[in-house]
Amino acid sequence: PKPLMVPQCSRDGLYTLEGMRESVERISAIYRKAGAPEMFQGRFYDQPHTFSIAMQEEAFEWLDRWLKP
């Protein structure tokens, strides 16, 4: 599998926390089964629906780690 980061907000009013957690668990299981658990990161932030500076910084670090030559 390709590297995948899924940042989510635990207080997001658009999706249920249960549904978001379930999706992370399912995706994590797929990556583990494929032998690449380190290539998936599901991260929860304790805030409403947003893409904060801290979230952006983490996303850029993730992209640098996996996509830079």
Side-chain angles (χ1 to χ4, degrees):
K2 303 256 186 217
L4 175 63
M5 178 188 192
V6 180
Q8 301 183 78
C9 299
S10 60
R11 293 186 283 137
D12 193 326
L14 300 175
Y15 308 98
T16 65
L17 183 56
E18 179 183 317
M20 290 186 289
R21 286 187 176 151
E22 183 180 330
S23 68
V24 166
E25 289 173 17
R26 286 182 178 193
I27 296 168
S28 292
I30 291 166
Y31 274 74
R32 280 192 309 274
K33 187 174 182 178
E38 72 284 354
M39 295 181 82
F40 172 70
Q41 180 180 357
R43 175 88 158 80
F44 286 88
Y45 298 85
D46 185 27
Q47 55 195 40
H49 185 91
T50 190
F51 192 45
S52 68
I53 297 298
M55 293 170 74
Q56 292 174 45
E57 288 172 351
E58 277 194 48
F60 286 128
E61 287 175 20
W62 175 263
L63 292 168
D64 285 346
R65 176 181 178 194
W66 292 106
L67 301 179
K68 272 192 171 179

